[in-house]
Amino acid sequence: MATIRDLSVILTVLSTITLLWPESGECNNGRRSGDGIDTDFSGFSVPIEHSFEVDDVPRFRLRGAIQFRGGRESSVYLAQNQLSEKDRNTLKDVAAVDGLYRIRVPRVSLQADRQSERQHDGHLTAFVRACSLVESHLSDVITLHTDVSGYVIGVSIVTIPGSCRGIEDEDEVDLEVFNTTIGVVAPVTAPVPETAPYIERMEQEMEKKGKNPQEQKSFFAKYWYLILGGAVFLMATNSAQTPPGGDREQS
Amino acid sequence: AWLGVRLAISVSLLFTASAVFEDQVGKFDWRQQFIGKVRFALFDTHSQASKKLLVATDKNVFASLNSRTGDLFWRHLDKTGPEGHLDSLLMYGQDAVVVVGNGRLLRSWETTVGGLKWETVLDTGSFKAAALVGVQDLVKYVAVLKKTAISLHDLSSGGQIWVENLPDSDTVQYQTIYSEGNGLVFVLGLVPNSHVVIVEYKIEDGEIMNKKSIQAAWMSSLESSCAVISSGILLCVDQITQSLYTLPLQSVEQKEMKQIHLQTLDLEVASGFQPVLTSTQPNPAQPPLAEFFLQLNPDHHILLQLKDGLIAPLRDFNPSNLVAFATTGEKTVAAVMSPKNETACSINLFSADTGRRHLDTTIIYHLDPNVGKPNKLYVHAFLKKDDSVGYRVMVQSEDHTLTFLQQPGRVVWMREEALADVVTMEMVDLPLTGTQAELEGEFGKKAVVTDGLLPMVLKRLSSQFILLQAWLAHLWKLFYDARKPRSSVKNDEVTIENLSRDEFNLQKMMVMVTASGKLFGIDSKSGAILWRHYLENIQPNSGFKLMVQRSTAHFPHPPQCTLLIKDKDIGLASLHVFNPIFGKKSHSSVPALPRPILQTLLLPIIDQDYAKVLLLIDDQYKVTAFPSTKNILQQLQDTASSIYFYLVDSSQGKLSGFRLRKDLSTELIWEVVIPTEVQKIVAVKGKRGNEHVHSQGRVMGDRSVLYKYLNPNLLAVVTESTDTHQERSFVGIFLIDGVTGRIVHEAVQRKARGPVHFVHSENWVVYVYWNSKFRRNEFSVLELFEGAELYNSTVFSSLDRPRPPQVLQQSYIFPAGISTLEATLTEKGITSRHLLVGLPSGSILSLPKLFLDPRRPEVVSEQTREENLIPYAPEMPIRTEWFINYNQTVSRVRGIHTAPSGLESTCLVVAYGLDIYQTRVFPSKQFDVLKDDYDYVLISSVLFGLFFATMISKRLAEVKLLNRAWR
C-alpha cells in the first residue's frame, strides 16, 4: 500500500504560488512587521505525504513535493500527483466513516545553507476531516510554519469550505485534481513600544501651542486686571471691617 | 491632537473611582501574614514579662511573635533563595544576632521594635557555625566559623576584633565552636573516619594557644554525633561500636578519647538509628550543664549525667517523642513529650540536675490527624511567684503548624504556616441552607414522578411552614440583637455548621493546596480556616492540580473536588477526592494509577450524580476515566471522536495532539516540534473553562462590527531563546489550536527575555517580558479578530475555521517589575476586564484592559473617539488608586486567583504568596449595587411625600369640583 503510485501519472497538476512570507505580519497601523529571515532558497524540494485509511491506521504515501525556488523573489510550488481511482474510492469510504485525511512533512530547515546539515529526525503531521476534503472537491490550503531560523516547526491543512454537510458527492471528476494553495509562514516580529513617533507627536503639539501667542501668555499676564481688582476689593473690605474689631479688642 | 489629550484625560477619569474609601478598609478584604516553616525559635528570657518569640524560617523571614496571641510584632523579609538564607540565630539580652546568606552578612537586631542595630559584611567562605562568646560572665563577642577562617566580632558594634585562618583547612572539616567564658574559643574539626582536631584561640588577639588531634576513626560527623558538656568535655556517641566517648578539650596529656560502652549503662541504640545527644548551655559565658539527653531510638530518650568522669543515668524516658531543655533564672528543666494514648501526648517537666518530675506540670497535647506528627518542641520556662517553675510549650509539627500550649493543655494559639506556601487554589460556592435545600428537594424531578397530587400539596404546605418558621426565627433574632447593647453583638462567627450561600454568592469557600501537602478550607469573607486536611507522605516537590468535579449546584449530591498529586521525579500520580465544603475525604473508589500521568482533562460529560468525568492520560497514551461507571463509558464512546487533547513535552519541544478512540485508546493526529536548540517552551496556557464572553464583537466607530476570534481550544505557547545574549535573545509567542494543531499565529519578540508572565482570555493574550536592550519591562497585547463577518455564527468548530484570524498587536512600557499576572472574571462577562498585576513591592495593581488594546490609535480621529479608544501612549500609567490592596502589601506574591461572584459587577480576588490577601474588585464600578451611603431616608420620604401630596390634592380637587358643581 505504501508504495508510490504509478509514476507515469505524475502530473504537475497544480502549483499555486502564494508565498505569504514577506507580508505575513498583520500588524495594525502598518507598522514594521515580519522582517522574516534573510535567506534564499535555491531550488530544493520537500516531500509531502498523505494517508487516509478506513481503519484509521496511518500509512503514509507520497502526495507530492513542495519545491522552493531560489532567487530574489523566492517562491514555493507544490508538484503533486493526481488521485487514482482506487484512492478516490478509499477517500470517499473514509469520508463516509468520518475518518481523517492526514498529511506529513519531514522536519527540515528551509534555509538553503542549512540543507547540508539537514537531519531527518521525524515528521510533522496535520489532519483534516476526510469528508470536508471530499465536499470541498479537494481544494485545500497547506501552510508550513517555520521558526526564526527557518526550521519547519509545524504544518497545517484546511479545506475551503471547511464544513462537512454530509451531502453526497456525485461528481467523480472533482476528486481527481488537488486545488492546493501552499504557503510558508515565518514568525512575525512583534512590535515594541513606539516611543519615537509619540515624542514626535508631542513635540508637534508643543510647537502648535507655541505658534499661538494667546496661549503662550502666562496666567498673570492674562488676568492681571481681575487679580488686581480682586485684591483692591479685598483690601477695601478689610480696612472697612477691621477698626471696630480692633477697638473691641483694646477695650 | 489637543482634543485627543483631553479625551485621554476624560476617558481615564472614568476609572479613577476604583480605590476604596477610608471607611471601607477591611470591610470586604482581609490579609493574613505568615512566616513559613520555622527553623530557629528562641523565647526571650531576658525578662519574666517578655512576650517575644523570635523565629527564623526557611522562607528567609526573621520575625518576632507575640507568644500570648501568636500575632506578629514585626517581620523582616530577606532576599529569596540562598542569598537571604538565615544560617543561624543567636540571642543575648535585647539583641538577636543573625547570620545571613551562607555567612555573607552578620546582623544584630534590636528585638523590641525590630530595628537593625548593626550589620557587618563577612569575608567570603561557606558558613559552618556561629556562637556567642563570653568573658567573665559577660557575653561580649560573637564568633563566626567559616570553612577556612574564624572571626570574632564585638556584640555591641559588630566591629571585627580579629580574623584568623584555620590550620590545615583543606583537609580538616571544621564544624563547631565552643567557648565557656574562660578566655578561650575552641574550634572543633574533623577528618572523617580519621581524627578530631581541636584548636584553641585566645579571645583577646586570636593567637592559637594549642592545637591537637585525637584519633577517632569511627567518626564521620562532629555535628550530628557530638556535644560539649560539663566544663569542656567533648562527648560523642557512635552507633556501630555502641559506645560513648569523652574527651576533656583542655587536657594536654589525654591523647585518646575515653570509651564508655553503652552496655555498661544497660543501654542499646536501635540498629540503623543515628543516636542524638542533646546538651544545654544556659549562659554562653559559663560551661554547659553536666546533664544531657541521649536519644536511643525515635521514641526513647534517656537523661544522663556526667559526674567525676563517670556517666550515670538519671531517668529513662521510654517512650518519649521529643525532649527539650529550658532555663529560667538558675533553674534548668527538661520537658519531655511522651505518647499517652492514640490521640494524645503528655508533656511533663523534669528538673535537669536530678531527673525528678515537677508536680502538676502536665500538658496534654491532642494529636489531631489533620495537623501531622509533632517534630519539634520549644519550651518557654518561667519562675512563678512561689519560685517554682512554670512553662509553656510550642510544638512544631510536620506540616509546619505551630501550636502554643499552656497548662493543662489549652491551645493558646495556632499558626498554620503551611499557608505561607500555597500552590494552587479554587473557590467553591457554599451550599444552600437547610430551608432552601428543602424547597429544592420538593421540586426535584424524582419527587414529581413518584408522588401523587395530595402528597405534593402537603409537601408544599410543610415546606412553606418551614420557611415561615425560619423567617420568624430570623425576626426574633433581629429583635433580640437590637435590644442588646451594640458592643456585645458579635459578628456571626462563621462555623462549618452555619455555612450558607449569601444572596449574591459573595462568600465562597477557598480551597487552598499547600506545598507541604496540607489542604485548607477558608471562608472567603472572614479568612477563618474552616477545615484542614493533612495528606501524609507527600514528596516535597510534588505537583498539584485541583479540579472541581461537581459544584455545589447539584443538591442533594455534595460538591466534589479532586486533587491530582504528582511526584515530579518519578511522575507517578495519585488522586485525593474530597468534599470542598467540609474537607472530608470522599468514599468514592479512586482508580489506581500505575503509570505516570501526563495530562488531565475535565469533560462536561456528567454521570447520573452530576460529577464531571475526569480523563487521565498516562505515558503510554492510555486513558483512564474517573468516575468510570457504565453510563459514563457509554457516553465517552458516543462522543469519543470529538474528544481531543494535547500533550506538551518541553524537553523535546514537542506539542502533540491526540484523539480519543471508542475503546479509550488514543491516536496521534498532529505534531508541532519547536527545535530545542533555538528555543525552549516555557509555558502553555489555554483559556479558563468558566469564562464567559458576553459580546461576540466590537462595535466600531462607523457602526460596523469587528467580530472576535473566540476559539475555546486556542493554546498560547511561550518560548524563550536558548541564546541569552541581549542582542540575540528573543521570546516567542505561538497561538496553536489545540484540536487541529494549526499554528494560528506566531510572533517573535526580539531582544527580549523572560521571565514571561501572560494571561490568555477571550480573544486576547497579554504577556510581559523583559526588554534586554532597553532594560525595562514591557507589556504586549495580541488580539484576534475574525473580521467584519463571522464564518459560522452559531457554533465554533476548530475543524471548520478555514480562514486565519486577523491579529493585532501593540506593546507598552511598564514602569515596574512584575511578579504575577491574572485577569478579572465575572459571572456573565459583561463587566469590562481588568488585569491584576502583582508587583514585587507587594502591591496589586488593577489595570484596565482598555489600556491594553492594540487598536489604540496613534492619531485620533472622529471614529476612534466614537469608539472610546484611548490614544496610544508608549508608557503604561500606574495610578496609586489602582492599587486594590492600598497599604495591605502581599509579600512575595506568587499567584492571584480570580473567581466570579453572583453579582455581575463583582469579582473575587485572592492573592497569595507569603501572605494571603482576599478582596473584591469592581472593574466597571458597582453598577448593579446601591452605594453604601445611599440615602434611603431621602428617597423614601420623597416617595411618601409625593404619595400624600397626590392624595391631598386629589381630595382638594374633588372638593373644588363639588363646590363648582353647586355653583
Side-chain angles (χ1 to χ4, degrees):
Chain A
M1 276 299 262
T3 51
I4 299 164
R5 300 261 126 209
D6 287 3
L7 286 171
S8 59
V9 209
I10 290 185
L11 279 172
T12 315
V13 176
L14 204 140
S15 44
T16 317
I17 355 98
T18 16
L19 184 60
L20 303 173
W21 204 306
E23 12 71 58
S24 46
E26 282 153 330
C27 276
N28 55 328
N29 315 358
R31 286 212 206 100
R32 222 185 71 201
S33 62
D35 47 359
I37 42 169
D38 26 34
T39 50
D40 59 334
F41 312 124
S42 49
F44 68 93
S45 67
V46 174
I48 178 164
E49 295 167 300
H50 63 177
S51 152
F52 42 95
E53 304 293 337
V54 179
D55 59 356
D56 229 3
V57 179
R59 289 179 205 91
F60 285 98
R61 51 190 180 271
L62 196 70
R63 168 170 162 181
I66 307 165
Q67 291 180 344
F68 296 91
R69 299 272 163 80
R72 280 228 42 87
E73 298 137 50
S74 45
S75 48
V76 49
Y77 304 87
L78 179 63
Q80 52 192 344
N81 313 342
Q82 212 172 16
L83 278 186
S84 69
E85 178 69 43
K86 193 178 165 199
D87 279 349
R88 284 200 295 274
N89 290 334
T90 321
L91 190 60
K92 276 190 186 165
D93 293 345
V94 174
V97 296
D98 196 13
L100 302 183
Y101 172 83
R102 301 153 193 264
I103 56 163
R104 75 173 187 188
V105 291
R107 289 181 56 201
V108 291
S109 172
L110 295 187
Q111 258 177 315
D113 49 333
R114 294 252 183 106
Q115 286 303 306
S116 50
E117 53 183 274
R118 153 177 158 182
Q119 74 263 63
H120 243 277
D121 49 354
H123 287 84
L124 301 164
T125 50
F127 73 95
V128 72
R129 286 161 82 188
C131 56
S132 67
L133 192 69
V134 170
E135 284 180 31
S136 69
H137 305 260
L138 297 187
S139 53
D140 54 357
V141 180
I142 296 174
T143 316
L144 293 180
H145 296 267
T146 68
D147 69 353
V148 276
S149 55
Y151 212 84
V152 178
I153 57 164
V155 59
S156 72
I157 175 169
V158 287
T159 59
I160 294 177
S163 56
C164 268
R165 290 204 180 74
I167 304 158
E168 199 60 42
D169 197 55
E170 260 139 61
D171 196 357
E172 294 249 336
V173 192
D174 269 325
L175 284 187
E176 266 175 30
V177 183
F178 280 106
N179 173 15
T180 307
T181 312
I182 187 148
V184 178
V185 175
V188 176
T189 299
V192 291
E194 305 268 335
T195 38
Y198 180 73
I199 292 167
E200 214 171 275
R201 204 151 45 87
M202 282 288 140
E203 272 168 5
Q204 275 172 7
E205 256 163 44
M206 292 297 280
E207 262 172 47
K208 235 185 247 170
K209 235 193 274 174
K211 273 177 199 158
N212 193 347
Q214 196 72 49
E215 280 182 30
Q216 224 182 1
K217 272 188 184 174
S218 74
F219 181 74
F220 282 104
K222 260 195 251 175
Y223 303 110
W224 65 270
Y225 46 90
L226 282 180
I227 295 163
L228 192 73
V232 166
F233 177 72
L234 273 176
M235 264 154 72
T237 48
N238 272 0
S239 59
Q241 279 179 359
T242 31
D247 285 347
R248 221 173 290 150
E249 268 171 26
Q250 275 168 3
S251 62
Chain B
W2 178 239
L3 254 175
V5 176
R6 230 182 265 175
L7 178 83
I9 294 164
S10 59
V11 168
S12 53
L13 277 174
L14 288 174
F15 311 103
T16 46
S18 54
V20 288
F21 291 101
E22 193 181 353
D23 61 342
Q24 288 179 315
V25 163
K27 200 172 173 189
F28 39 69
D29 65 317
W30 51 261
R31 177 180 64 163
Q32 289 176 8
Q33 293 186 305
F34 297 95
I35 52 176
K37 181 193 176 188
V38 170
R39 292 178 57 233
F40 307 103
L42 294 172
F43 286 97
D44 182 11
T45 50
H46 182 238
S47 71
Q48 287 289 330
S50 174
K51 294 184 281 191
K52 286 193 290 281
L53 164 62
L54 291 179
V55 288
T57 71
D58 69 338
K59 297 259 174 244
N60 304 348
V61 173
F62 177 49
S64 173
L65 300 177
N66 183 339
S67 65
R68 306 284 153 81
T69 60
D71 297 336
L72 285 170
F73 277 130
W74 47 261
R75 183 178 77 167
H76 291 292
L77 274 69
D78 221 310
K79 287 179 181 162
T80 48
E83 232 184 316
H85 185 255
L86 298 167
D87 302 317
S88 178
L89 170 65
L90 305 165
M91 187 153 111
Y92 184 74
Q94 289 285 333
D95 301 338
V97 179
V98 182
V99 184
V100 184
N102 198 13
R104 193 170 53 93
L105 293 170
L106 184 67
R107 283 190 186 138
S108 175
W109 298 90
E110 208 281 329
T111 53
T112 320
V113 292
L116 182 66
K117 282 182 83 176
W118 50 260
E119 182 184 88
T120 311
V121 180
L122 297 174
D123 295 341
T124 51
S126 62
F127 173 82
K128 291 294 171 200
L132 293 168
V133 177
V135 181
Q136 292 157 353
D137 284 359
L138 273 175
V139 178
K140 278 183 165 170
Y141 308 108
V142 55
V144 180
L145 180 72
K146 297 276 195 100
K147 193 165 185 283
T148 57
I150 176 172
S151 57
L152 197 73
H153 299 263
D154 189 76
L155 191 62
S156 56
S157 70
Q160 184 178 294
I161 312 283
W162 50 261
V163 58
E164 290 295 326
N165 280 329
L166 296 165
D168 309 324
S169 57
D170 47 345
T171 52
V172 184
Q173 299 173 6
Y174 290 97
Q175 288 176 342
T176 50
I177 307 180
Y178 166 73
S179 88
E180 56 176 37
N182 56 0
L184 293 171
V185 179
F186 296 87
V187 175
L188 309 182
L190 170 81
V191 176
N193 303 317
S194 171
H195 58 272
V196 176
V197 178
I198 299 159
V199 189
E200 275 176 56
Y201 285 94
K202 209 164 127 189
I203 287 180
E204 283 83 47
D205 51 6
E207 188 192 337
I208 295 181
M209 301 299 285
N210 192 7
K211 176 180 177 283
K212 59 185 173 188
S213 51
I214 310 289
Q215 285 300 315
W218 47 269
M219 202 192 284
S220 57
S221 169
L222 257 173
E223 267 177 316
S224 60
S225 56
C226 292
V228 181
I229 54 161
S230 166
S231 61
I233 289 163
L234 181 68
L235 178 78
C236 296
V237 64
D238 178 41
Q239 188 245 323
I240 296 158
T241 54
Q242 295 273 344
S243 317
L244 287 167
Y245 296 87
T246 59
L247 174 79
L249 291 172
Q250 271 179 295
S251 85
V252 188
E253 62 272 13
Q254 198 174 331
K255 292 285 178 217
E256 252 179 34
M257 296 185 95
K258 191 175 151 199
Q259 188 176 16
I260 302 161
H261 282 285
L262 282 174
Q263 233 172 356
T264 59
L265 302 167
D266 277 343
L267 300 174
E268 195 188 353
V269 176
S271 65
F273 179 76
Q274 170 68 42
V276 180
L277 287 168
T278 313
S279 67
T280 178
Q281 186 176 12
N283 186 345
Q286 274 166 9
L289 297 186
E291 290 80 24
F292 60 95
F293 273 108
L294 173 63
Q295 188 178 10
L296 295 165
N297 68 44
D299 44 3
H300 185 192
H301 293 77
I302 187 159
L303 183 66
L304 299 158
Q305 188 182 39
L306 179 78
K307 207 172 184 182
D308 311 324
L310 290 170
I311 288 174
L314 286 179
R315 195 174 180 121
D316 192 359
F317 299 100
N318 191 11
S320 56
N321 318 2
L322 298 168
V323 294
F325 282 112
T327 303
T328 175
E330 293 298 304
K331 292 183 181 168
T332 299
V333 288
V336 178
M337 180 192 266
S338 21
K340 196 170 174 228
N341 52 39
E342 293 285 293
T343 59
C345 286
S346 67
I347 303 165
N348 281 296
L349 213 56
F350 299 87
S351 73
D353 46 0
T354 58
R356 256 187 310 122
R357 194 169 87 91
H358 286 225
L359 291 174
D360 301 328
T361 56
T362 309
I363 291 179
I364 303 294
Y365 174 71
H366 290 280
L367 288 172
D368 187 338
N370 294 327
V371 165
K373 290 192 193 76
N375 60 3
K376 206 142 185 200
L377 196 63
Y378 302 96
V379 181
H380 180 213
F382 53 87
L383 283 177
K384 287 185 191 163
K385 284 199 180 104
D386 58 353
D387 218 31
S388 63
V389 181
Y391 75 121
R392 301 185 186 95
V393 287
M394 185 170 80
V395 182
Q396 186 181 2
S397 357
E398 280 174 333
D399 57 341
H400 316 334
T401 306
L402 298 177
T403 315
F404 195 80
L405 300 135
Q406 71 175 36
Q407 278 177 304
R410 192 172 77 86
V411 174
V412 184
W413 52 262
M414 210 168 172
R415 283 185 76 88
E416 291 288 359
E417 289 306 331
L419 282 172
D421 207 349
V422 174
V423 183
T424 178
M425 65 168 294
E426 277 294 339
M427 283 179 115
V428 184
D429 293 352
L430 291 176
L432 302 164
T433 56
T435 44
Q436 286 167 320
E438 185 74 27
L439 278 181
E440 285 280 320
E442 184 198 349
F443 300 111
K445 271 184 196 162
K446 273 184 193 164
V448 179
V449 177
T450 50
D451 295 355
L453 184 67
L454 195 65
M456 282 290 283
V457 172
L458 287 176
K459 220 175 187 180
R460 180 59 189 266
L461 284 176
S462 75
S463 62
Q464 293 286 6
F465 180 70
I466 288 167
L467 274 181
L468 185 73
Q469 222 174 1
W471 185 65
L472 285 176
H474 178 69
L475 278 188
W476 172 247
K477 194 167 173 288
L478 275 183
F479 175 68
Y480 194 74
D481 281 349
R483 280 177 46 190
K484 275 198 280 186
R486 239 254 154 105
S487 56
S488 70
V489 181
K490 269 202 294 183
N491 278 346
D492 299 69
E493 199 123 302
V494 186
T495 58
I496 208 142
E497 285 79 32
N498 65 14
L499 270 183
S500 66
R501 198 179 303 177
D502 58 332
E503 266 173 305
F504 299 121
N505 203 2
L506 289 165
Q507 186 180 6
K508 294 204 180 196
M509 179 66 84
M510 292 159 52
V511 180
M512 296 192 124
V513 182
T514 64
S516 62
K518 195 164 181 180
L519 313 183
F520 290 90
I522 299 176
D523 169 37
S524 75
K525 197 176 173 189
S526 62
I529 297 173
L530 297 179
W531 59 262
R532 60 200 108 210
H533 187 91
Y534 181 54
L535 301 169
E536 282 174 55
N537 309 323
I538 297 287
Q539 295 305 311
N541 62 344
S542 298
F544 296 95
K545 188 168 181 187
L546 185 62
M547 288 152 288
V548 182
Q549 271 198 296
R550 181 169 51 219
S551 70
T552 321
H554 304 287
F555 185 83
H557 300 288
Q560 181 178 322
C561 272
T562 302
L563 180 69
L564 180 82
I565 307 148
K566 192 169 156 186
D567 191 298
K568 283 244 170 76
D569 296 330
I570 47 173
L572 282 183
S574 59
L575 290 176
H576 174 71
V577 185
F578 63 99
N579 177 335
I581 304 300
F582 302 108
K584 285 195 196 88
K585 194 174 172 180
S586 164
H587 298 295
S588 58
S589 63
V590 175
L593 303 170
R595 304 211 58 87
I597 297 298
L598 298 180
Q599 177 70 292
T600 55
L601 208 61
L602 199 62
L603 294 178
I605 296 174
I606 49 170
D607 201 359
Q608 279 126 342
D609 62 354
Y610 301 100
K612 285 182 190 163
V613 65
L614 179 69
L615 294 189
L616 302 147
I617 296 107
D618 65 21
D619 63 344
Q620 289 183 334
Y621 314 118
K622 289 269 178 339
V623 173
T624 312
F626 169 72
S628 56
T629 57
K630 220 175 191 175
N631 178 10
I632 285 284
L633 292 177
Q634 183 59 44
Q635 287 188 58
L636 271 179
Q637 263 183 27
D638 296 345
T639 51
S641 63
S642 61
I643 296 172
Y644 298 82
F645 61 94
Y646 69 94
L647 296 178
V648 184
D649 183 354
S650 54
S651 65
Q652 291 176 35
K654 191 152 98 182
L655 290 136
S656 39
F658 291 82
R659 184 165 83 152
L660 197 67
R661 286 215 191 108
K662 289 211 189 304
D663 57 348
L664 291 193
S665 64
T666 57
E667 58 177 329
L668 179 76
I669 50 171
W670 59 265
E671 251 181 315
V672 168
V673 186
I674 300 167
T676 49
E677 301 91 64
V678 184
Q679 51 195 333
K680 56 182 191 299
I681 298 174
V682 287
V684 178
K685 256 189 211 172
K687 288 177 188 169
R688 284 177 69 164
N690 54 351
E691 175 183 285
H692 293 273
V693 181
H694 183 256
S695 89
Q696 287 266 312
R698 285 182 59 167
V699 181
M700 304 214 286
D702 59 358
R703 299 280 179 263
S704 65
V705 177
L706 187 61
Y707 286 99
K708 296 175 182 170
Y709 179 76
L710 297 167
N711 182 349
N713 309 317
L714 200 66
L715 302 174
V717 180
V718 173
T719 63
E720 279 177 36
S721 63
T722 46
D723 189 349
T724 51
H725 185 272
Q726 61 156 7
E727 284 293 317
R728 293 189 298 270
S729 67
F730 64 87
V731 167
I733 309 290
F734 297 85
L735 299 179
I736 298 178
D737 189 301
V739 170
T740 61
R742 185 177 176 197
I743 300 178
V744 170
H745 183 68
E746 50 176 327
V748 167
Q749 195 80 49
R750 291 186 189 273
K751 290 172 190 135
R753 64 182 161 81
V756 178
H757 302 279
F758 67 110
V759 178
H760 182 195
S761 179
E762 281 187 47
N763 64 328
W764 48 265
V765 178
V766 170
Y767 61 93
V768 190
Y769 57 91
W770 173 256
N771 186 326
S772 52
K773 189 183 174 198
F774 293 109
R775 295 165 181 278
R776 63 191 182 197
N777 279 302
E778 290 179 2
F779 259 118
S780 197
V781 58
L782 277 161
E783 278 195 21
L784 291 91
F785 293 99
E786 293 229 351
E789 48 186 285
L790 271 178
Y791 178 79
N792 179 352
S793 58
T794 48
V795 66
F796 188 96
S797 166
S798 284
L799 296 168
D800 179 17
R801 258 314 116 140
R803 270 183 284 278
Q806 296 171 17
V807 183
L808 304 181
Q809 187 169 14
Q810 215 168 46
S811 300
Y812 316 88
I813 301 163
F814 188 67
I818 285 186
S819 300
T820 185
L821 199 64
E822 187 55 79
T824 59
L825 196 66
T826 51
E827 180 93 357
K828 298 267 183 274
I830 300 168
T831 307
S832 64
R833 307 291 295 270
H834 277 206
L835 284 172
L836 299 169
V837 188
L839 305 180
S841 63
S843 307
I844 295 160
L845 185 75
S846 179
L847 188 67
K849 170 72 178 55
L850 213 62
F851 279 89
L852 288 158
D853 184 345
R855 300 188 60 250
R856 282 175 69 177
E858 283 191 345
V859 181
V860 184
S861 69
E862 199 59 49
Q863 291 204 348
T864 57
R865 205 169 302 149
E866 186 92 347
E867 240 186 288
N868 257 348
L869 290 174
I870 309 163
Y872 180 78
E875 186 168 342
M876 192 62 62
I878 295 184
R879 305 232 168 87
T880 40
E881 66 268 20
W882 286 351
F883 292 123
I884 57 169
N885 56 341
Y886 47 105
N887 63 354
Q888 308 280 302
T889 50
V890 188
S891 303
R892 294 187 193 150
V893 55
R894 262 197 328 275
I896 296 175
H897 182 88
T898 51
S901 72
L903 282 174
E904 173 54 32
S905 65
T906 310
C907 167
L908 304 176
V909 177
V910 181
Y912 53 87
L914 187 61
D915 302 341
I916 296 174
Y917 180 73
Q918 189 278 142
T919 190
R920 298 173 196 165
V921 289
F922 317 101
S924 299
K925 295 197 275 180
Q926 285 176 286
F927 60 80
D928 50 2
V929 181
L930 290 178
K931 277 200 194 110
D932 280 350
D933 53 356
Y934 185 78
D935 203 339
Y936 294 96
V937 178
L938 182 75
I939 197 94
S940 44
S941 57
V942 166
L943 213 71
F944 280 115
L946 283 173
F947 178 70
F948 286 117
T950 43
M951 294 289 282
I952 292 161
S953 55
K954 193 180 170 191
R955 177 79 191 132
L956 288 175
E958 271 173 10
V959 171
K960 202 174 175 185
L961 270 177
L962 192 68
N963 286 343
R964 194 183 291 164
W966 276 107
R967 224 176 267 159

